[in-house]
Amino acid sequence: MGKRKADKDKDKDKTSKKAKKAAKAGPPVSPLAPAEGFPPIPPIPGVRFAAAEAAVRYAGRLDVMLAHVDEGAAIAGVFTRSATRSAPVLWCEECLAGLSKGGRRGGYAILANSGNSNAFTGAVGRAAVAATVEATAKTLGVPLEHVFTASTGVIGEPLPAGRIAEKLADLAAGLNEGGIERAARAIMTTDTFPKGAFRKADLGETEAVVAGIAKGSGMIAPDMATMLVFLFSDAAIDGKLLQSMVAKCADATFNAITVDGDTSTSDTLIMAATGKAAMKPIRHGADPRARAFREALEAVMRELAHQVVRDGEGATKFVEISVTGARSPAEARKVGMAIANSPLVKTAIAGEDPNWGRIVMAVGKAGAHADRDRLAIRFGDILVAERGFVAEGYREADGAAYMKRQELVIGVDLGVGVGAATVWTCDLTSRYVEINADYRS
Amino acid sequence: MGKRKADKDKDKDKTSKKAKKAAKAGPPVSPLAPAEGFPPIPPIPGVRFAAAEAAVRYAGRLDVMLAHVDEGAAIAGVFTRSATRSAPVLWCEECLAGLSKGGRRGGYAILANSGNSNAFTGAVGRAAVAATVEATAKTLGVPLEHVFTASTGVIGEPLPAGRIAEKLADLAAGLNEGGIERAARAIMTTDTFPKGAFRKADLGETEAVVAGIAKGSGMIAPDMATMLVFLFSDAAIDGKLLQSMVAKCADATFNAITVDGDTSTSDTLIMAATGKAAMKPIRHGADPRARAFREALEAVMRELAHQVVRDGEGATKFVEISVTGARSPAEARKVGMAIANSPLVKTAIAGEDPNWGRIVMAVGKAGAHADRDRLAIRFGDILVAERGFVAEGYREADGAAYMKRQELVIGVDLGVGVGAATVWTCDLTSRYVEINADYRS
């Protein structure tokens, strides 16, 4: 077998000579990155983090993170539905199914690495999961089936499980409440900035923290979760309720973004609520505190999802597509995604072209119920087209000026119902093609 | 209203200053264009062609074509299913529905223009169709409902019907049996070469010609037909049988190609069989001549479909994706199209990267039944991966050498059934992004 057999699905260093040079100086941060940098996430009682350099693919960089969650936490998760999902995803699905049947006593761990996705690695991949998960369980003294794991990077190459296992003692020793930013850095691949977000949820008797980190930049068209997302809270909440909330929020956030229409084999979202906050547990959705908690959770997830789009490979524009007047929310989503994934729409946005004809095209191909003569299109507040034709007051110059913005809102009203959905995407630039084509020696 | 309100969906001159300069020298012909140039299509008894410069969008180029088909021909057609399909498409659908109910005596005409697609133009668009169709019917002395029309170019701008109508007398006077290449040139937009193909079908008592022309380069993900395709034969064949054959062949040819996953609002395929050949008509599919005719028809359609892919915007590689072992042919097609439309697969091909992990990813996201541990992937004859892992004998160097070819065959066996499908696509290069982004002043 050759030295390198497969895809670097999203590894930062899939570089041409030119790009390698750039990488030494550090890759340029996306122009859409949050200006304020990584947010000041407060400690989440019951959760500690550590990160290490394990040379999974390249030496000298953080590439493994460990999170430890105290006993008694509620755990939820959503995963890619890809038919070729990775060995770690299959393991996490099993663990979560076991927890939902009651589970065991003991703390939890999340072990994640970048540099290798351990996907399409067959029996070797399952063995690598077993090895790293066993080492984690032993080192931390938690049950084997409480160790969640996630990997991102090359598809089809054996994961160097030994190098990760060797680092576990150091990782365990380094666990601390303030380590979340380093953890976020350890899961970056083509990402140009670490992604984090938090909210404080007012739960009446107490204020709980809801925080999370994510990675993702390309191969972003999530189906139930995107890339790697780890969420934490000190709230006390029932596990099944948490799972239901997380799944619903994922649908409105991570499942509503797309960079390139390509769905990862490794998408993993795991949420741990430690119950350390001074509060009685939230046991059902009708509890008024459930709403406050869910709002905070969805806000954190939306912010992380937006950060993924803002770090889309080659992106120069952040685009919100708001579809209204559809037969159903599902049809609205379908139209939104058809627009968000259209190469012609995305290249027009890159070219700052108010190219609404391409939006008409994408609506037409979406497969949702639409009527050409009821369709209305807006750029921000500018009415561009309505009733099957260009709007009377629309001036091309206004559209062109609008498109120069870095953040765009495209509104599409189908005029055939009340279904609505919002999706987010970025533009398609030559840089995306370069990042993904121009890296072989 | 501004001077220019909408998309140039596929107009050749959507140019930046740089591109404008290049256009003056003539755009570079696709490296994948047929080496032998436009084929020597023989006259098709009963069909005559003409082309003219009508300055639909730009002066000094062929942009209108007219075909006249003698009385007694069988006519078939397939059209885009886009929900935002253009006024000419709606008109053609009506005409064809009328013909299938019996139709009238008299010859037929096909009038097509480039430079403006007359799509999303509302009542103005319908009026433009009426004006050009009426002028054609009157000039040629054929029934109004025997005049098919097609338009390709800008979306959302009124079609200058008057300028086209003015040219009809000249066009009618210029009709001749040898005019098919000029007709093919008149419908080019971003196309870099005119597309034509023919076969001779051995029908026992006679040999019939089956010939066609097409245009298409971007916005190519046909749904029932691609862009503009006009097919002709002197064979005598029942209209309903012809329609059924054309629809089936379109499914295996034009509906099996994709350049960018974007479906045009204007896709139109029209076929006329004049019945001038010295033969008794083919009345049913069981007639042994039906098979010979269908084979010739499918060969012509496949060749034209391949020419569209070979002229894909920015294309440097012609890629056949052959999927076998699926639960059904439809699932095989789904997987083939997921691979063919994946930006990550297409950029890897552009980068000559034997990036089979991305093919695994695309299979996984396709939504068809697949089993990671039964999947096999081939580049040409090279077995790359099987049973959920890289193939034992696979050497990266072999894959890398294969990817340097201009014509690639990617084989995917799902191992879960006997359904098979073949689709064709091209790579995704920075040039595609430039063509579609970098043209606004």
Side-chain angles (χ1 to χ4, degrees):
Chain A
M1 296 193 306
K3 187 174 166 227
R4 180 180 171 292
K5 359 214 118 48
D7 183 24
K8 306 184 186 173
D9 83 342
K10 291 290 95 188
D11 210 271
K12 192 196 265 171
D13 289 274
K14 48 184 193 182
T15 37
S16 65
K17 279 171 197 167
K18 195 170 64 182
K20 267 180 193 149
K21 204 179 290 176
K24 273 183 195 166
V29 172
S30 166
L32 306 174
E36 59 279 13
F38 196 83
I41 300 178
I44 306 124
V47 191
R48 292 170 300 143
F49 301 91
E53 300 181 359
V56 172
R57 182 162 194 87
Y58 300 99
R61 63 157 61 173
L62 292 175
D63 54 8
V64 180
M65 63 150 269
L66 179 67
H68 179 273
V69 178
D70 287 356
E71 184 171 346
I75 307 286
V78 282
F79 306 93
T80 182
R81 289 190 202 163
S82 166
T84 56
R85 53 199 183 276
S86 69
V89 167
L90 296 171
W91 170 260
C92 287
E93 286 175 336
E94 275 176 43
C95 291
L96 203 63
L99 291 184
S100 74
K101 285 172 197 148
R104 299 177 49 179
R105 291 187 57 87
Y108 299 88
I110 301 170
L111 177 73
N113 70 274
S114 56
N116 185 314
S117 71
N118 195 14
F120 210 69
T121 44
V124 176
R126 289 188 288 276
V129 167
T132 52
V133 162
E134 275 168 28
T136 307
K138 199 173 156 189
T139 308
L140 295 181
V142 301
L144 193 65
E145 53 271 54
H146 282 201
V147 182
F148 292 85
T149 186
S151 297
T152 178
V154 186
I155 293 177
E157 267 191 58
L159 180 74
R163 292 209 289 276
I164 294 172
E166 277 168 22
K167 291 286 170 186
L168 275 165
D170 285 354
L171 283 163
L175 285 167
N176 70 89
E177 285 198 329
I180 194 165
E181 181 173 351
R182 272 169 60 88
R185 289 189 183 277
I187 53 174
M188 286 168 63
T189 58
T190 46
D191 305 64
T192 72
F193 61 88
K195 296 166 186 67
F198 75 100
R199 289 287 186 284
K200 289 185 177 173
D202 180 359
L203 303 181
E205 57 200 320
T206 190
E207 195 175 55
V209 178
V210 181
I213 55 176
K215 66 85 45 178
S217 184
M219 209 176 270
I220 301 291
D223 185 12
M224 282 316 288
T226 187
M227 308 305 292
L228 305 188
V229 186
F230 303 120
L231 299 162
F232 306 93
S233 175
D234 58 341
I237 183 165
D238 174 73
K240 280 182 187 157
L241 180 58
L242 182 66
Q243 177 66 36
S244 149
M245 275 186 187
V246 165
K248 280 180 194 153
C249 291
D251 212 42
T253 57
F254 291 109
N255 286 357
I257 64 170
T258 180
V259 167
D260 50 14
D262 275 343
T263 302
S264 165
T265 51
S266 308
D267 293 346
T268 295
L269 180 153
I270 294 167
M271 162 108 212
T274 64
K276 299 285 181 185
M279 62 187 283
K280 283 180 193 155
I282 304 173
R283 299 238 175 256
H284 48 77
D287 186 325
R289 298 171 305 163
R291 182 173 176 168
F293 180 77
R294 185 186 154 150
E295 281 175 0
L297 180 63
E298 186 166 338
V300 168
M301 289 169 75
R302 189 183 305 110
E303 192 170 322
L304 288 171
H306 286 189
Q307 286 182 31
V308 170
V309 172
R310 287 175 180 280
D311 209 4
E313 287 173 341
T316 66
K317 306 273 186 187
F318 178 82
V319 187
E320 176 173 305
I321 297 166
S322 168
V323 180
T324 52
R327 279 272 172 95
S328 68
E331 293 228 322
R333 167 83 64 100
K334 205 172 188 182
V335 168
M337 280 294 181
I339 298 168
N341 279 321
S342 160
L344 289 170
V345 171
K346 291 165 86 83
T347 49
I349 292 169
E352 303 189 333
D353 181 3
N355 212 324
W356 60 270
R358 293 186 183 173
I359 295 167
V360 171
M361 176 280 299
V363 170
K365 77 165 183 169
H369 188 87
D371 181 337
R372 193 192 55 174
D373 295 338
R374 292 180 182 205
L375 184 59
I377 296 171
R378 283 178 178 77
F379 292 148
D381 295 330
I382 305 169
L383 179 63
V384 176
E386 59 176 344
R387 295 191 297 273
F389 203 40
V390 64
E392 196 150 355
Y394 176 63
R395 295 187 318 126
E396 165 90 350
D398 295 341
Y402 184 79
M403 297 305 284
K404 298 214 175 291
R405 299 186 188 191
Q406 200 171 55
E407 315 223 340
L408 303 172
V409 178
I410 296 175
V412 171
D413 190 276
L414 299 177
V416 296
V418 296
T422 300
V423 305
W424 297 275
T425 192
C426 55
D427 53 342
L428 170 58
T429 65
S430 294
R431 179 74 191 131
Y432 176 90
V433 177
E434 283 160 22
I435 290 170
N436 287 296
D438 181 30
Y439 69 88
R440 299 283 296 201
S441 56
Chain B
M1 297 194 304
K3 188 176 166 224
R4 179 180 172 291
K5 358 215 117 46
D7 184 24
K8 309 181 183 176
D9 82 343
K10 290 290 95 190
D11 210 85
K12 192 194 265 169
D13 290 273
K14 47 185 195 181
T15 38
S16 65
K17 277 170 198 166
K18 194 169 63 180
K20 265 178 192 151
K21 205 179 287 176
K24 273 182 194 165
V29 172
S30 166
L32 305 173
E36 58 278 10
F38 195 82
I41 300 177
I44 306 124
V47 191
R48 292 171 299 144
F49 300 91
E53 299 179 359
V56 172
R57 182 162 194 89
Y58 300 100
R61 64 161 53 177
L62 291 176
D63 55 8
V64 180
M65 63 151 268
L66 179 66
H68 179 272
V69 179
D70 287 358
E71 184 170 347
I75 307 286
V78 282
F79 306 94
T80 183
R81 290 191 203 161
S82 166
T84 55
R85 52 198 185 277
S86 67
V89 168
L90 296 171
W91 169 259
C92 286
E93 287 176 336
E94 275 177 42
C95 291
L96 203 64
L99 291 183
S100 74
K101 285 174 197 146
R104 299 177 49 180
R105 290 187 58 87
Y108 299 89
I110 301 170
L111 177 75
N113 70 274
S114 57
N116 185 312
S117 72
N118 195 14
F120 210 69
T121 44
V124 175
R126 289 188 289 275
V129 167
T132 53
V133 162
E134 274 168 28
T136 307
K138 198 172 158 191
T139 308
L140 296 180
V142 301
L144 191 66
E145 53 272 54
H146 282 201
V147 181
F148 292 85
T149 186
S151 297
T152 179
V154 186
I155 293 176
E157 267 190 60
L159 180 73
R163 292 209 290 276
I164 294 173
E166 277 168 21
K167 290 287 169 183
L168 275 165
D170 286 354
L171 283 163
L175 285 167
N176 70 90
E177 285 198 328
I180 195 167
E181 181 174 350
R182 273 170 58 87
R185 289 189 183 278
I187 54 175
M188 287 168 64
T189 58
T190 45
D191 305 64
T192 72
F193 61 88
K195 294 166 188 68
F198 74 101
R199 289 289 185 284
K200 288 184 177 174
D202 179 0
L203 303 181
E205 59 200 318
T206 192
E207 196 175 52
V209 178
V210 181
I213 55 177
K215 66 84 44 180
S217 183
M219 210 178 270
I220 301 292
D223 186 11
M224 282 316 287
T226 186
M227 308 304 293
L228 306 188
V229 185
F230 303 120
L231 299 162
F232 306 93
S233 175
D234 57 341
I237 183 165
D238 173 73
K240 279 181 186 157
L241 179 58
L242 183 67
Q243 177 66 37
S244 151
M245 276 187 187
V246 164
K248 280 179 193 157
C249 291
D251 212 43
T253 58
F254 291 109
N255 287 357
I257 63 172
T258 180
V259 167
D260 49 15
D262 275 343
T263 302
S264 165
T265 49
S266 307
D267 292 346
T268 295
L269 180 153
I270 294 166
M271 161 108 210
T274 64
K276 299 285 182 185
M279 62 185 285
K280 282 179 193 154
I282 303 172
R283 298 239 176 259
H284 48 78
D287 185 326
R289 300 171 304 164
R291 183 172 174 170
F293 180 77
R294 185 185 155 153
E295 282 175 1
L297 179 63
E298 186 165 337
V300 168
M301 287 168 74
R302 189 184 305 110
E303 191 171 321
L304 288 171
H306 287 189
Q307 286 183 31
V308 170
V309 172
R310 286 173 181 282
D311 210 4
E313 286 171 342
T316 66
K317 306 273 185 188
F318 177 81
V319 188
E320 177 172 305
I321 297 166
S322 168
V323 179
T324 53
R327 280 272 172 93
S328 67
E331 293 227 322
R333 167 83 65 98
K334 206 172 187 181
V335 169
M337 279 295 182
I339 297 168
N341 280 322
S342 159
L344 288 170
V345 171
K346 292 164 86 84
T347 49
I349 293 170
E352 302 189 333
D353 181 3
N355 212 324
W356 61 270
R358 293 185 183 175
I359 295 168
V360 171
M361 175 281 297
V363 170
K365 77 165 182 168
H369 187 87
D371 180 338
R372 194 192 54 171
D373 295 339
R374 292 180 183 207
L375 183 61
I377 297 171
R378 283 179 178 77
F379 293 149
D381 295 330
I382 306 169
L383 179 64
V384 176
E386 59 176 342
R387 295 191 298 270
F389 202 40
V390 65
E392 196 149 356
Y394 176 65
R395 296 187 316 125
E396 166 91 348
D398 296 342
Y402 184 79
M403 297 304 285
K404 298 215 174 290
R405 299 186 188 192
Q406 200 171 57
E407 315 223 338
L408 303 173
V409 178
I410 295 175
V412 172
D413 190 276
L414 299 178
V416 297
V418 295
T422 300
V423 305
W424 296 275
T425 191
C426 54
D427 54 341
L428 171 59
T429 65
S430 294
R431 180 73 191 131
Y432 176 90
V433 178
E434 284 161 19
I435 289 170
N436 287 297
D438 181 30
Y439 68 87
R440 299 284 296 202
S441 56

